[in-house]
Amino acid sequence: MAATLRTRVPTGARAIGLIGVAFGFLAMWLALPPFEVRAQGAPVALAVIGLGCGAWALQGREWRIGGWAVGIAIVAVLISTWAQGRSTDTLAAIVNAGLLASTLQYATPLGWAAIGGVISERSGVVNIGLEGMMLTGAFFGIWAAAWSGTWTVGLLVAVIAGGALAAVHAIFTIHLRADQIVIGTAINFLALGITGYMFIDIYGDQGTPANVSMVPDVSIPGIRSLPGVLGVFGSLNLMVWLLFAAIIIVHVVLFRTPIGLRIRSVGEHPRAADTVGISVYGIRYASVIVSGMLAALGGAYLSIGFVGSFDQNMTAGRGFIALAAMIFGKWRPYGAFGACLLFGFASGLADRLQQSANVSVNLLSTLPYVLTLIALVGLIGRSRPPAADGRPYIKE
């Protein structure tokens, strides 16, 4: 076992690159609360060391870790320079435990849609329609919650609506073998039209009711009173905890159970799966419909878990960001959720910078989408989709 551990310890240029990453993060940490080193020299000196380590790693052909070290060092210098011109109160208003709470709030709807996308694409069907399924879940969730007076019915109806829209996507892409990208795009426009029409027809200019039943927060007294970021976990919304459970369940099902093996087999080699008796069509139908249900839960969280209202096109491209997170996470639930946390952090930080640091709203609103572009160009390394992803299967 000791020999195995020794082989996994990074050495050479890779180790130097990791040290550079550590120096870069340390430089950022010193410039921000709680340390707030007001002399710029110390953070910059650490960032320069990190930059040198990154350059060393790049020279040793450790491109990925070297690139991260250089990038983090540059960001650390920019942050330390920016922090010098801000008061202690301003920095404390931006970097505190609330930033973690905002990160989780923004990451939750993305996480639901991303793990739905993982299931669908692991079975070989590209689901560009996640955006429309989220929007459908958001509208029907709040409509049903307002109609019934309880958020549980809202979630149930949202899941049914998302699953129904996903079933339409499945019929066209699996049995009719239409182009999956085109159908997914059509699904998004269909959802935009249906929810927009029904929103105006039902609520008019008044908007959704103000007293709609909301998904409650889970208050844990012993944890809620803890100081710092730990206290955040004492008052999270129920759907955040459900998302944590769903990510674990999806990972276990996909990679530890016979059902997951069947899903991955039809996504990698449907012909071989068919020859051993696995129903390729059945698995793909089930996977796409489940992905729509999960994406709808993400939309329902927006309307009856977070915002408390609905507006036309309120998902605002979150389904596409979830797709990017799925690719960023290499079609794995944990990786996809990690990417969602990164996007959530960018959104939460943008909000706080707008409120406390008077930074341009237009500039900061681009931050999550810039991260999306970074994810899609593959700076985190090569991402390989399932071999049969996006390819219709013709049964012989």
Side-chain angles (χ1 to χ4, degrees), residues 31 105 118 147 189-190 207 252 273 332 361 366 370 379:
Q105 285 174 339
V118 168
W147 167 72
F189 284 115
L190 178 64
V252 171
R332 289 176 173 273
V361 174
T366 64
V370 170
L379 290 184

Side-chain angles (χ1 to χ4, degrees), residues 198-207:
M198 295 187 70
F199 174 70
I200 296 297
D201 187 59
I202 295 173
Y203 299 111
D205 297 331
Q206 304 300 317

Side-chain angles (χ1 to χ4, degrees), residues 202-223:
I202 295 173
Y203 299 111
D205 297 331
Q206 304 300 317
T208 50
N211 58 348
V212 66
S213 174
M214 297 283 291
V215 180
D217 292 340
V218 178
S219 181
I220 308 175
I223 298 178

Side-chain angles (χ1 to χ4, degrees), residues 124 173-174 176-180 270-271 281 284 388-394:
T173 56
I174 297 172
L176 303 181
R177 295 190 291 277
D179 186 281
Q180 297 176 7
R271 182 74 62 204
Y281 288 172
R284 286 188 169 182
D389 193 17
R391 299 179 184 175
Y393 176 67
I394 303 174

